[in-house]
Structure formats: structure tokens, C-alpha cells
Amino acid sequence: MKELVFGHKSPDTDAIVAAKAFAYLQNQLDSDIDAEAVALGTPNEETKFVLAHFATEAPRVVTEASKEVDAVMLVDHNEAQQSIADIKDVTVTHVVDHHRIANFETAAPLYYYAESVGCTSTIILKLFKQNNVKIPAKLAGLMLSAIISDTLLFKSPTTTPADEAAVKELAKIADVDYETYGLEMLKAGTNLGSKSEKELIDADAKSFEMGGKTVRIDQINTVDLTEVFAREAALRSAIEEESKAEGYDLFLLMVTNILNSDTRLLVVGEPKDVVENAFAVKLVDDKVDLPGVVSRKKQVVPPLEKAF
């Protein structure tokens, strides 16, 4: 049976790599399954660097699944608004994820593996080992890249001992100096000059339902906050245009300096007072600096939910 395997919209490195890794694992475990890794968007600069480094083709981009298959597997997400447009028209047979569970239900039982670790690829490594399936060197390189990406080379508070152990184990298989390579990879993802404002606000964006509002949170990694905020007026305009078109009530743009692990937040839309309450701050010109904040999943979404 043919099944598509994919991560969330606006895919990051883990969304694309986890799909590749889980599809490979499923094909090794069951000869009756033809699992194909696909993507719900084009790779970002960091992911392009990773794929090129390990001489791997990017998965094809799909916008609908039901025209091709009856069943799909989800990795690195579960919330319907982050998934493929026709998710309700297909059967979800598998989910492997490391995020909260929300807006998700199925009509039939399924395989669901969720664990509070820094990266989906950390979980998938565990599944390879549980099933005694050998990981090819290139795939090991992709998987360690995903973990480095999600944990910001272990600087993110989402990092667990399992993530660090996974990178070290995968680095041996891939024959990679993960520290040197990891910094090079992260810096490749901060090459923002060639990107339009729309590309920047879509590159790593996720939508959340909170308190009856649709909240959109995008994260841009950089080594120079000044470079990004020199384009503030154009970024605001792009955010306002997209929010109007897509029905976002509140849009948070996280601009994160990967060198010092700080974030400057730009807030567009309402209610802004909820943002101020969430972080116990006062916005100035719709902006605020959040020292030590690098994780949307652990440091931004939970306090926002609580404030709403």
C-alpha cells in the first residue's frame, strides 16, 4: 500500500529529514508498504545546505494527499492546521512527534509515538535501534543535522541527554565532526539577504489556536539582529498582508541570535496585552527583547497559552 510521509507546513530540517528517515524505516520493516517521503513546502537555506552536504535529493513538494493515496504518516507535527490541506480526507496510520497534541483526532486506531525530546529524529533513531535496522551513513548525517537544528547545537532548553547521545552516535555512523559541521550548518541557515520579506515570515512559521484566536509564530535565526530589523517596515507590511489574507489574529516574529541565544520579538495584531502578560514585559513599538529565549515550543507557546 502506498503511503505518503511528511512533516509540517513551512518545513524545517527535522520535518524533511524525519519524513525521509521514517519512510526508510517503514520500507525496511514492511514489504507491503510503499512509503514515500514528501514535503509540504520547499527546503529552507539550512536544509538545502544539509541535503547538499550529504548528496541527497530534496523530497517532492505536495499540496494534497487524497488524490494519490488513502493513508498518510505524520512526523514532527500532529495539529491539523500545520498539516496538509486535505488531512481530513485521508487515514492517518502513524504519527511520530515531539510536540504538544492538539486539534488531532482519528476515526480508527493508529500507531502514535510522542516523546518529550528536542527532535523527532532522536525518536526515530530509537525506533531504528528497537527494530534492529541499520542506518545508512548519509541518513545518519541527515538525522544528526536535524537534531542539531532543533536543539541549536544543544543550546536550546528543549535539548535532552537523549538528543546529545543521538548526535554523538549518528556522528560516528556518518563520520562527521558534529561540532564543526553543526556550527557551519546553523550559519548556512542565517543567509537571509537573498530572501524576500514574505519568504522570511513563512520560512519557519506555525499556526496555533489559542483562546479562540489564530496565533501565527515564525522564527528567523540570525547572527545579526540589526540586519533583520533594518527591514522592519517591510516585514511588518508583509505580516499585515498575510494576516489579513489568512485570518491570523496575532503574529509573533521571533528573530533569534544563534550566537548568544537571545530573541527579539516583533508583535503584529491583537491582543498584544496577552503577549505582555505572557512574558511579563512591556512592548515598545511592538517589540521586546527576550534574553535566553530560543525555543518556540518550550519558551513561547506555553506562556502564551497560559496567558490566553
Side-chain angles (χ1 to χ4, degrees), residues 3-24:
E3 291 197 46
L4 299 182
V5 187
F6 48 81
H8 50 77
K9 294 176 181 176
S10 301
D12 56 9
T13 300
D14 190 35
I16 287 179
V17 168
K20 280 183 168 289
F22 196 60
Y24 179 88

Side-chain angles (χ1 to χ4, degrees), residues 24-289:
Y24 179 88
L25 177 61
Q26 292 306 307
N27 288 331
Q28 296 300 306
L29 293 176
D30 191 342
S31 60
D32 291 330
I33 290 180
D34 176 15
E36 181 193 357
V38 295
L40 304 190
T42 56
N44 60 31
E45 291 301 315
E46 177 191 275
T47 310
K48 288 178 183 176
F49 174 89
V50 170
L51 294 171
H53 187 90
F54 293 103
T56 303
E57 288 188 2
R60 66 187 178 96
V61 176
V62 300
T63 57
E64 294 180 308
S66 58
K67 291 181 179 179
E68 297 186 46
V69 296
D70 297 321
V72 300
M73 305 179 190
L74 311 184
V75 294
D76 201 31
H77 77 296
N78 66 81
E79 299 187 47
Q81 71 273 14
Q82 297 176 8
S83 199
I84 201 159
D86 60 346
I87 190 67
K88 295 187 181 300
D89 299 326
V90 291
T91 299
V92 178
T93 63
H94 296 69
V95 178
V96 181
D97 193 16
H98 68 128
H99 296 94
R100 70 173 193 170
I101 301 172
N103 304 319
F104 179 82
E105 61 181 6
T106 61
L110 76 162
Y111 176 94
Y112 198 114
Y113 195 132
E115 190 173 349
S116 182
V117 292
C119 182
T120 308
S121 290
T122 299
I123 300 172
I124 296 176
L125 171 61
K126 182 181 292 188
L127 298 179
F128 269 91
K129 294 166 71 173
Q130 287 177 356
N131 289 283
N132 296 312
V133 176
K134 185 178 180 181
I135 303 176
K138 283 186 179 181
L139 185 56
L142 296 178
M143 292 171 70
L144 74 86
S145 301
I147 302 170
I148 289 171
S149 174
D150 267 14
T151 65
L152 289 178
L153 198 52
F154 311 146
K155 289 183 179 180
S156 170
T158 61
T159 308
T160 68
D163 299 301
E164 295 191 43
V167 166
K168 293 173 183 178
E169 182 174 344
L170 291 164
K172 291 180 180 179
I173 300 172
D175 192 22
V176 170
D177 178 340
Y178 71 86
E179 292 178 310
T180 301
Y181 164 76
L183 188 57
E184 185 181 2
M185 182 199 85
L186 290 173
K187 286 184 176 179
T190 67
N191 182 17
L192 309 176
S194 63
K195 297 292 183 182
S196 69
E197 284 73 26
K198 178 169 176 52
E199 287 173 321
L200 289 177
I201 67 170
D202 287 342
D204 186 12
K206 292 183 179 180
S207 296
F208 302 87
E209 298 300 323
M210 300 182 188
K213 301 290 186 181
T214 299
V215 181
R216 185 77 163 171
I217 306 175
D218 179 48
Q219 185 168 24
I220 298 173
N221 289 336
T222 184
V223 292
D224 185 0
L225 292 177
T226 303
E227 177 189 5
V228 178
F229 280 91
R231 304 168 65 177
E232 181 180 340
L235 286 167
R236 283 177 182 267
S237 178
I239 290 170
E240 289 167 355
E241 183 177 346
E242 185 163 298
S243 294
K244 183 178 180 180
E246 301 296 336
Y248 305 140
D249 298 291
L250 186 64
F251 197 115
L252 276 64
L253 180 65
M254 298 174 60
V255 183
T256 301
N257 187 326
I258 63 170
L259 298 181
N260 63 17
S261 301
D262 292 338
T263 288
R264 182 170 296 165
L265 197 64
L266 173 64
V267 182
V268 178
E270 294 292 345
K272 291 188 178 72
D273 62 317
V274 173
V275 179
E276 293 180 326
N277 292 336
F279 302 105
V281 297
K282 192 70 177 176
L283 294 173
V284 178
D285 294 329
D286 302 329
K287 298 185 294 294
V288 69
D289 288 336

